[in-house]
């Protein structure tokens, strides 16, 4: 065995499977942590355990939270009339960093995809339509990625809301073609949100 | 707060400080883990805690281990007459992956450095000299990095062992396997040329 003990070897293997990491970066991180084993490493173990035990999906919007409803859904200062629909929690975090939006969110957890056989029910789109139809929502902002699947999903939701008095908007140009929100700088996201257009 | 809960935010911040990671890659990893919170994330927390609690330095060689002496030092099948001196545990792991060496190791934990005020005592070099002088060691292989500090350290140890009957060797310098001359630095090419061998 190369890496000192069975646990160290298992830890390197597990780390190497995390997104963006591989065997080399995993080994580097594990050796760094072992050098900081009484501080950073124990702290990381505790936090991972706590987040693993306490994290769940907000029952209202699908955001990651440690309670039934997330801090955004329960914040009395935020506007109730606007719901911003995103593909995943990373996109919600990116929009929040931009501080351009003060309404509520809805996390789809993906996009419609013929290839992957993901339909409206898999994304809870009927529940979304129900949610936005009930509560005095004036505007639904479809902040979906500028990919084919993202735009297909946006059009599907826009069509489903046709005939209601809800204004459906999308992010303005400024999101590059094929661009994923999570990889954009905060300013670009803010500008695109402010210049959002009716679909 | 952007990231769902205090713990999630602290976890992202802690992850972002690991070598090779930053805020973006940390957020991506944390969200990935939260999606796998009942499996991969709990497993990772347990392994980190176990490695943090059980890891220590081998009393003989300085390798990372979960016992007093590491598996390499206690392996009866390995040669006792050769000690390979490395800067850190990452180098020891790299050599073990290469499976080219079947002797014992000695981990210095750094190099001599005038700039950082690291002297022989800080690296336990007197203890190394003592170790290799006592136990019928025939050869000390200085597998140190081909940097100025690495080579300074190698020369210091070689001089300290002068007058003993221990053979002191260093890694051959040359063109790495698969290396293209055009991409190598001039020093490497010169060294490889000087050390040229009959084919
Ligand atoms: Zn929520
Ligand atoms: Zn050892």
């Amino acid at each position: 065995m190369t890496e000192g003990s069975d646990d160290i070897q298992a830890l390197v293997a597990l780390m190497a499977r995390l997104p963006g990491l591989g065997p080399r970066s995993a080994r580097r991180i594990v050796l760094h942590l072992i050098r900081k084993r009484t501080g950073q490493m124990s702290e990381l173990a505790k936090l991972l355990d706590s987040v693993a035990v306490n994290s769940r999906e907000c029952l209202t919007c699908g955001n990651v939270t440690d309670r039934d409803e997330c801090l955004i859904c329960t914040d009395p200062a935020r506007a109730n009339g606007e719901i911003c629909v995103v593909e995943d929690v990373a996109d919600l975090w990116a929009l929040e960093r931009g501080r351009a939006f003060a309404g509520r969110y809805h996390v789809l957890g993906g996009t419609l995809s013929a290839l992957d056989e993901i339909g409206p029910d898999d994304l809870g789109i009927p529940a979304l339509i129900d949610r936005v139809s009930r509560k005095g929502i004036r505007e639904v902002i479809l902040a979906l990625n500028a990919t084919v699947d993202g735009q297909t999903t946006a059009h599907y939701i826009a069509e489903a809301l046709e005939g209601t008095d809800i204004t459906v908007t999308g992010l303005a140009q400024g999101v590059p073609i094929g661009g994923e929100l999570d990889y954009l700088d905060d300013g670009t996201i803010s500008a695109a949100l402010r210049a959002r257009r009716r679909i």
Side-chain angles (χ1 to χ4, degrees), chain A:
Chain A
M1 182 204 335
T2 305
E3 285 100 1
S5 76
D6 290 339
D7 275 355
I8 296 176
Q9 194 164 44
L11 181 57
V12 169
L14 197 58
M15 282 270 188
R17 280 162 44 208
L18 295 178
L21 300 185
R24 176 180 305 276
S25 44
R27 286 193 297 263
R28 208 170 140 216
I29 288 172
V30 168
L31 278 173
H32 168 89
L33 286 170
I34 289 176
R35 275 193 293 271
K36 316 249 174 185
R37 58 187 171 271
T38 55
Q40 217 176 345
M41 194 178 204
S42 301
E43 207 183 328
L44 184 58
K46 278 197 205 79
L47 276 173
L48 280 168
D49 184 59
S50 163
V51 171
V53 169
N54 296 317
S55 292
R56 40 196 156 145
E57 287 172 15
C58 171
L59 295 174
T60 301
C61 78
N63 188 13
V64 166
T65 180
D66 58 358
R67 54 199 77 193
D68 284 346
E69 272 201 307
C70 76
L71 292 171
I72 293 174
C73 285
T74 53
D75 183 350
R78 297 185 74 119
N80 284 317
E82 298 165 27
I83 289 193
C84 183
V85 178
V86 292
E87 284 181 27
D88 55 38
V89 174
D91 297 334
L92 186 161
W93 286 5
L95 281 155
E96 283 297 288
R97 286 197 302 277
R99 294 167 194 274
F101 180 67
R104 314 287 178 178
Y105 287 94
H106 195 92
V107 180
L108 293 178
T111 51
L112 298 176
S113 168
L115 205 65
D116 298 327
E117 297 185 346
I118 298 173
D121 288 338
D122 300 309
L123 302 175
I125 290 182
L128 167 65
I129 302 299
D130 189 51
R131 177 182 173 200
V132 303
S133 305
R134 271 186 298 139
K135 290 189 179 172
I137 307 295
R138 290 184 313 276
E139 181 177 357
V140 169
I141 302 164
L142 301 171
L144 303 177
N145 290 332
T147 55
V148 172
D149 284 343
Q151 294 309 299
T152 302
T153 309
H155 283 292
Y156 181 91
I157 297 172
E159 270 180 31
L161 291 171
E162 253 176 24
T164 69
D165 51 6
I166 298 166
T167 304
V168 180
T169 59
L171 296 184
Q173 284 174 351
V175 180
I177 302 298
E180 296 186 47
L181 295 191
D182 192 33
Y183 285 85
L184 294 179
D185 67 286
D186 300 346
T188 302
I189 292 182
S190 304
L193 185 71
R194 283 192 301 273
R196 62 188 181 271
R197 299 173 304 127
R198 185 184 289 267
I199 295 179

